[in-house]
Amino acid sequence: MSFNSQHLDTFARDGCAVVENFLSISEVHDLRERIHELLAEFEPTEHPTVTFPTSPNSQVISDQYFFDSSIKASYFLEQHAVHEGKLTVDPSKAVNKIGHGIHIVEPLFKELTHSDRVKHIARMLGFQDPRVLQSMVICKQPGIGGAVPMHQDSTFLFTDPPSACGFWIALEDCTLDNGCLHFVPGSHRTNPITRRMVRSSTGTAETEFIDIEPVFSLYPLTGELEHKEKQDTRSVQVKAGSLVLIHGQVLHMSSHNHSPKSRWIYTFHIVEGLHGYDQRNWLQMPNN
């Protein structure tokens, strides 16, 4: 299914929109086969055992491997898959995600990310010079796939003014049991960006959060500020092949995967190239 005006209206209202059958069955199969190969190729002795923190109080990253991942297919592990520096599960079941430049180094993912259907969505959202960054496969492993706390993507991928938009593509059915997305409808209209995760001012391979003056996204447009007394979350249960489009200012999260099934997805983000993306952002792309 193509992104249409109805999807655009939903996105403008809620900050999140689902496009069913965005990928064909064969496309999902091919991407999954390549992920199986990447997981089989993972050799723990050749990579640092870097876990990806998912708890609310542990989102500050301190590792050069993390910074160097912007143009690579780097492996990050589930926190519950590592104990005292050693894996507690099979290596292929230990990987939390592979990223953050998988759209650069993996042909299948590059083709999808730069496809006409993605460009069509960017144009409908009003992007003039869309730039792709932070692409990754997230595995959400059975039983140990960690919860991701409520957050806004523009906190981590900040432009001035904010412009981040996430493309979140299900490669397996995403359910309440295996940790589907949840979001707060309309929160992109009520919750400004008030902080950023940036590279440490000390020059070390660390990140930190800094407070900023509250700012609302001007792009894609969020409309007029609305006041809500209560903000309820809504689950996003989707079939494999579905696209979930996520506004960079909308509040969203996912729960722990306690089920015996994984929850594979491919996600990437776009920002407006005409808006300032400074050197303090944790993810930096080379000039070329």
Side-chain angles (χ1 to χ4, degrees):
M1 179 184 296
S2 298
F3 188 80
N4 56 39
S5 59
Q6 186 175 357
H7 294 123
L8 184 62
D9 290 343
T10 299
F11 183 73
R13 182 191 69 226
D14 295 341
C16 187
V18 175
V19 182
E20 297 178 340
N21 301 313
F22 185 72
L23 298 186
S24 67
I25 294 174
S26 62
E27 287 176 313
V28 170
H29 174 270
D30 291 346
L31 291 171
R32 284 178 51 81
E33 284 297 299
R34 182 56 188 144
I35 294 171
H36 277 296
E37 293 171 354
L38 289 170
L39 290 174
E41 292 169 9
F42 173 56
E43 176 49 63
T45 60
E46 298 178 0
H47 297 268
T49 53
V50 179
T51 60
F52 187 74
T54 55
S55 63
N57 296 320
S58 62
Q59 289 186 344
V60 174
I61 310 297
S62 176
D63 197 280
Q64 189 62 43
Y65 184 77
F66 184 73
F67 284 169
D68 292 342
S69 67
S70 64
I71 57 171
K72 300 178 181 179
S74 300
Y75 294 85
F76 299 89
L77 309 181
E78 297 282 1
Q79 286 186 297
H80 293 290
V82 179
H83 179 67
E84 296 182 349
K86 296 182 179 180
L87 295 186
T88 59
V89 297
D90 181 271
S92 67
K93 300 296 184 183
V95 176
N96 167 279
K97 65 178 179 177
I98 308 171
H100 293 90
I102 200 167
H103 72 288
I104 298 173
V105 298
E106 287 293 326
L108 281 178
F109 292 94
K110 181 178 182 178
E111 181 181 1
L112 168 59
T113 305
H114 295 283
S115 64
D116 287 343
R117 67 192 116 170
V118 170
K119 294 176 182 177
H120 166 72
I121 293 174
R123 285 194 297 268
M124 286 196 68
L125 293 178
F127 281 87
Q128 300 177 62
D129 182 20
R131 305 292 182 89
V132 179
L133 70 175
Q134 192 176 316
S135 60
M136 51 194 160
V137 168
I138 301 177
C139 298
K140 193 75 108 167
Q141 299 286 3
I144 61 172
V148 177
M150 197 71 78
H151 65 283
Q152 298 163 293
D153 287 343
S154 283
T155 299
F156 304 92
L157 301 170
F158 187 82
T159 61
D160 185 17
S163 62
C165 182
F167 288 66
W168 194 97
I169 303 171
L171 301 179
E172 295 181 307
D173 293 351
C174 302
T175 68
L176 292 175
D177 292 334
N178 69 358
C180 68
L181 277 176
H182 296 256
F183 78 106
V184 180
S187 55
H188 62 310
R189 295 179 180 272
T190 61
N191 294 72
I193 303 300
T194 59
R195 64 176 188 161
R196 295 176 56 189
M197 190 181 87
V198 298
R199 294 193 175 208
S200 173
S201 57
T202 65
T204 58
E206 296 179 330
T207 61
E208 60 186 356
F209 284 104
I210 59 172
D211 294 328
I212 62 173
E213 288 294 320
V215 58
F216 278 87
S217 174
L218 301 180
Y219 195 91
L221 292 174
T222 55
E224 297 180 359
L225 176 64
E226 299 175 357
H227 177 72
K228 292 184 179 180
E229 294 294 335
K230 185 179 180 181
Q231 294 183 310
D232 296 320
T233 61
R234 180 186 301 170
S235 65
V236 187
Q237 301 184 67
V238 294
K239 296 291 186 180
S242 299
L243 164 68
V244 184
L245 197 66
I246 305 171
H247 192 287
Q249 203 166 297
V250 80
L251 291 164
H252 62 288
M253 51 83 71
S254 66
S255 56
H256 190 103
N257 182 7
H258 293 287
S259 81
K261 297 182 179 180
S262 58
R263 193 222 63 186
W264 289 6
I265 66 102
Y266 171 57
T267 184
F268 61 91
H269 301 78
I270 61 173
V271 296
E272 175 52 58
L274 299 180
H275 293 185
Y277 186 90
D278 63 33
Q279 295 296 311
R280 293 215 67 187
N281 277 301
W282 77 266
L283 188 149
Q284 294 294 323
M285 303 296 288
N287 293 331
N288 61 352

